[in-house]
Amino acid sequence: MLVRLEWDSAHFGFPVARAEPAELSVEELRTDLARAREDGVRLVYCLRAEERPLPEELLREFGGCTICTQVQWCRVLPEHGGTQTPEGSRIERFVESPAPEDLRRLAIEAGRYSRFRLDPRISRAAFESLYALWLENSVRGTLADHVLVARDETGASLGLVTVAHSSTDSRGKIGLLSVDPGRRRFGIA
């Protein structure tokens, strides 16, 4: 079954849908993609487990391609360990809206390898506005509970992370994670 994604469609300026559930058989997906083509849907997200990739023939038939591989990891953090930062830097919670240009650039950098950046059907402007909006909605508390910013001794932004708390367990979920390209590999993330 295809679910039309109204927000994505409005943002990108063309019809977008998602194939659900992710366990659809290849034949079920072929039927749904044919229907999407008839309905003028230009982009269909199909999230699949690594062990169930889509056949190349199906991708060719519908002009599709594999854009990215998503990886999830979980790490247990100490309850009271404090935050270690490189000398001269600090972590602070950011709550102002609108976010300044340096944080907007970091948010866009967070999407460098995302499907939204890598998909040739999505314009650079649409990708950048998506990540800028993601940051703004995180700062406002609609997509994240916290926006944390790493700053150097001059106050320059070195990196950012957005975190949402789970209401059912003690887990947090990272939305955006980015470090200024010139400051990577210094332990900021």
Side-chain angles (χ1 to χ4, degrees), residues 102-122:
D102 63 337
L103 291 188
R104 185 176 180 274
R105 280 193 309 274
L106 284 171
I108 291 167
E109 184 65 26
R112 170 180 274 212
Y113 300 106
S114 74
R115 68 180 186 253
F116 305 107
R117 171 67 177 91
L118 299 176
D119 192 325
R121 290 166 280 256
I122 298 174

Side-chain angles (χ1 to χ4, degrees), residues 82-86 88-94 146-153 156-161 163 177-179 187-189:
T83 302
Q84 293 181 337
T85 60
S89 65
R90 65 186 185 283
I91 306 291
E92 59 187 49
R93 187 165 178 213
F94 186 83
H146 304 284
V147 176
L148 303 175
V149 178
R151 297 193 188 278
D152 68 11
E153 59 278 348
S157 299
L158 305 173
L160 75 83
V161 63
V163 182
L177 174 64
S178 180
V179 173
I188 293 166

Side-chain angles (χ1 to χ4, degrees), residues 43 45 49 57 73 75 87 93 106 125 147 160 162 171-172 183:
L43 177 61
Y45 302 139
E57 68 184 55
W73 57 272
R75 179 177 176 196
E87 179 115 6
R93 187 165 178 213
L106 284 171
V147 176
L160 75 83
T162 65
R171 294 179 186 231
R183 300 302 293 265

Side-chain angles (χ1 to χ4, degrees), residues 7 11 70 99 103-104 107-108 110-112 114-116 126-144 146-147 160-164 173-177:
W7 190 93
H11 185 77
Q70 188 175 38
L103 291 188
R104 185 176 180 274
I108 291 167
R112 170 180 274 212
S114 74
R115 68 180 186 253
F116 305 107
F127 152 71
E128 289 184 0
S129 68
L130 171 68
Y131 275 77
L133 186 57
W134 190 342
L135 175 63
E136 283 304 320
N137 286 333
S138 296
V139 170
R140 290 185 189 120
T142 58
L143 288 180
H146 304 284
V147 176
L160 75 83
V161 63
T162 65
V163 182
K173 185 175 181 180
I174 294 173
L176 299 173
L177 174 64

Side-chain angles (χ1 to χ4, degrees), residues 4-160:
R4 184 173 166 102
L5 302 175
E6 299 301 334
W7 190 93
D8 298 55
S9 298
H11 185 77
F12 295 127
F14 52 80
V16 179
R18 180 179 55 241
E20 289 186 0
E23 299 81 28
L24 285 173
S25 71
V26 171
E27 285 310 311
E28 291 171 315
L29 188 55
R30 178 175 273 116
T31 300
D32 284 349
L33 290 172
R35 188 174 314 116
R37 181 182 277 165
E38 290 171 9
D39 293 344
V41 174
R42 288 186 37 204
L43 177 61
V44 176
Y45 302 139
C46 184
L47 307 176
R48 301 285 282 200
E50 185 177 9
E51 61 273 5
R52 297 193 65 212
L54 292 174
E56 287 299 319
E57 68 184 55
L58 181 69
L59 293 172
R60 277 192 304 277
E61 181 180 344
F62 291 96
C65 58
T66 300
I67 296 293
C68 67
T69 301
Q70 188 175 38
V71 177
Q72 293 182 353
W73 57 272
C74 182
R75 179 177 176 196
V76 177
L77 299 175
E79 286 189 40
H80 302 289
T83 302
Q84 293 181 337
T85 60
E87 179 115 6
S89 65
R90 65 186 185 283
I91 306 291
E92 59 187 49
R93 187 165 178 213
F94 186 83
V95 295
E96 301 168 28
S97 182
E101 183 60 27
D102 63 337
L103 291 188
R104 185 176 180 274
R105 280 193 309 274
L106 284 171
I108 291 167
E109 184 65 26
R112 170 180 274 212
Y113 300 106
S114 74
R115 68 180 186 253
F116 305 107
R117 171 67 177 91
L118 299 176
D119 192 325
R121 290 166 280 256
I122 298 174
S123 72
R124 178 73 183 218
F127 152 71
E128 289 184 0
S129 68
L130 171 68
Y131 275 77
L133 186 57
W134 190 342
L135 175 63
E136 283 304 320
N137 286 333
S138 296
V139 170
R140 290 185 189 120
T142 58
L143 288 180
D145 297 306
H146 304 284
V147 176
L148 303 175
V149 178
R151 297 193 188 278
D152 68 11
E153 59 278 348
T154 69
S157 299
L158 305 173
L160 75 83

